[in-house]
Amino acid sequence: MIGRREFITLLGGAATWPLAARAQQPAMPVIGYLNMRSPESSEYDATTLGAFRRGLSETGYVEGRNVAIEYRWDGPYNRLPELAADLVRRHVSVIASFGGLPAAQAAKAATATIPIVFISGADPVQLGLVASLNRPGGNLTGVTFLGSELGPKRLELLHELVPRATIIAYLANPTNPVDAVDQTRDLQAAARTLGLQLHVLNASTEHDFETVFAAVVQLRAGGLVISPDGLFNRSSEQLAALALRHAVPAIQPTRKFAAAGGLMSYGGSSTDQYRLAGVYTGRILKGENPADLPVQRATKVELVINLQTAKALGIDVPVTVRAIANEIIE
């Protein structure tokens, strides 16, 4: 038996237990999502973000329930270091860096301790992001995909659709070192093998696109190959509209280019890449060390042909090309 005073004291102490328990619970982890453009910008960006969230859910994390995401995105490359530094100041748990090589480099320069998960179409070892693919070391790991090495295949596919064209233009970003050197070199070699004359046209901002297409027309180029640079990927709809307006048969890496009216796209599956990156982000949140997580290789490749655009350009798509297409837009 206890007295009334003792009972009230005991009851008052019990009322504080839930508060103490809540105070001891760990804070919700926060992911810093660094990208070139927001998911509101296009269906493509919304789809890739959805794929990233699916990857997170495979490891048990759901945004708003047991993980928060701080989003940082902007257009120009030169703002990426500022955005990455802001995420570091907010002490996020992981940085998901999906703005291509510039975003990965900006995140790496901003922190040597916060784990970083990147997506890259180029060799991350050659670029200095990781020590090796099997044991990345440091605080970075991520997903690579077939990107720059598909350039010659894009040229070959375009050549099959416009076999009479002897002059082809190639759109490159001079501010991207991989694009400006390695990819251009590989495409020049492929053009020589096919007996084509390749003209390299440069664009470092969206404001350069009109000038590029005017040059394509002036050169009387029979087609345009667009490199897998981040600027061009996020501007796919704009590039597709320009190609359609100037009646230029063009190929680009992302599906959204073909869906927006470009002739065709050929490149790695973005949803596959983002899902794998989401899985890795979740595994790191669970305590795994990025230094010990091998860089994954996303190998799924998609060929999409816009048959409406082909008809508008007077192009008869060969049966052999249709047969290998993953999607044909009627």
Side-chain angles (χ1 to χ4, degrees):
M1 298 288 292
I2 61 174
R4 181 174 180 272
R5 179 176 299 174
E6 289 83 354
F7 175 76
I8 293 173
T9 301
L10 181 62
L11 183 63
T16 65
W17 293 346
L19 295 176
R22 285 196 296 272
Q24 294 174 1
Q25 289 178 354
M28 183 182 293
V30 179
I31 299 168
Y33 190 91
L34 182 64
N35 209 330
M36 296 295 292
R37 198 164 70 168
S38 74
E40 289 82 9
S41 302
S42 70
E43 178 185 350
Y44 167 82
D45 296 286
T47 300
T48 53
L49 177 57
F52 174 73
R53 287 170 172 158
R54 283 196 300 276
L56 279 175
S57 69
E58 290 180 28
T59 60
Y61 287 99
V62 178
E63 183 180 9
R65 182 186 302 169
N66 57 359
V67 68
I69 302 180
E70 285 273 351
Y71 296 97
R72 295 293 182 276
W73 38 56
D74 207 309
Y77 282 150
N78 58 12
R79 283 218 60 207
L80 288 170
E82 173 190 341
L83 299 177
D86 182 53
L87 290 174
V88 172
R89 285 192 296 269
R90 292 178 180 273
H91 304 289
V92 297
S93 307
V94 185
I95 296 178
S97 175
F98 303 149
L101 172 61
Q105 290 175 325
K108 183 178 181 181
T111 178
T113 56
I114 297 176
I116 298 168
V117 178
F118 61 81
I119 297 177
S120 173
D123 185 350
V125 177
Q126 180 183 354
L127 298 174
L129 296 178
V130 297
S132 72
L133 296 179
N134 289 332
R135 294 190 64 83
N139 61 319
L140 282 81
T141 188
V143 179
T144 65
F145 59 92
L146 297 171
S148 57
E149 59 266 64
L150 296 180
K153 183 62 177 178
R154 293 188 191 99
L155 179 61
E156 180 184 332
L157 286 167
L158 185 61
H159 179 57
E160 288 192 55
L161 265 63
V162 286
R164 295 183 180 179
T166 58
I167 301 175
I168 300 294
Y170 175 59
L171 178 57
N173 186 345
T175 65
N176 183 332
V178 177
D179 194 6
V181 180
D182 296 343
Q183 295 179 35
T184 299
R185 179 197 59 220
D186 295 344
L187 219 68
Q188 290 280 19
R192 286 192 295 270
T193 300
L194 295 171
L196 300 173
Q197 183 180 354
L198 188 74
H199 288 271
V200 179
L201 303 175
N202 292 318
S204 56
T205 71
E206 295 178 356
H207 300 296
D208 299 327
F209 293 163
E210 290 281 359
T211 303
V212 165
F213 278 89
V216 171
V217 174
Q218 186 176 9
L219 289 167
R220 296 184 180 179
L224 173 68
V225 177
I226 302 172
S227 82
D229 177 74
L231 168 66
F232 306 147
N233 288 345
R234 69 183 177 87
S235 304
S236 292
E237 294 96 336
Q238 182 180 351
L239 290 168
L242 285 167
L244 199 58
R245 186 201 312 167
H246 292 279
V248 176
I251 184 169
Q252 198 255 13
T254 64
R255 180 194 175 278
K256 62 177 178 177
F257 176 78
L263 177 59
M264 60 181 168
S265 63
Y266 183 69
S269 168
S270 298
T271 54
D272 188 37
Q273 299 155 22
Y274 276 72
R275 184 191 66 79
L276 290 173
V279 171
Y280 256 19
T281 302
R283 289 176 62 178
I284 290 172
L285 289 176
K286 286 182 176 294
E288 294 193 55
N289 190 340
D292 300 327
L293 291 174
V295 175
Q296 298 188 80
R297 183 71 159 173
T299 58
K300 187 177 180 181
V301 179
E302 298 175 333
L303 170 63
V304 181
I305 301 171
N306 191 317
L307 210 57
Q308 288 183 340
T309 301
K311 291 177 180 177
L313 295 173
I315 295 173
D316 184 18
V317 180
V319 176
T320 53
V321 178
R322 294 193 191 201
I324 62 173
N326 298 87
E327 180 182 355
I328 293 179
I329 299 173
E330 299 285 352

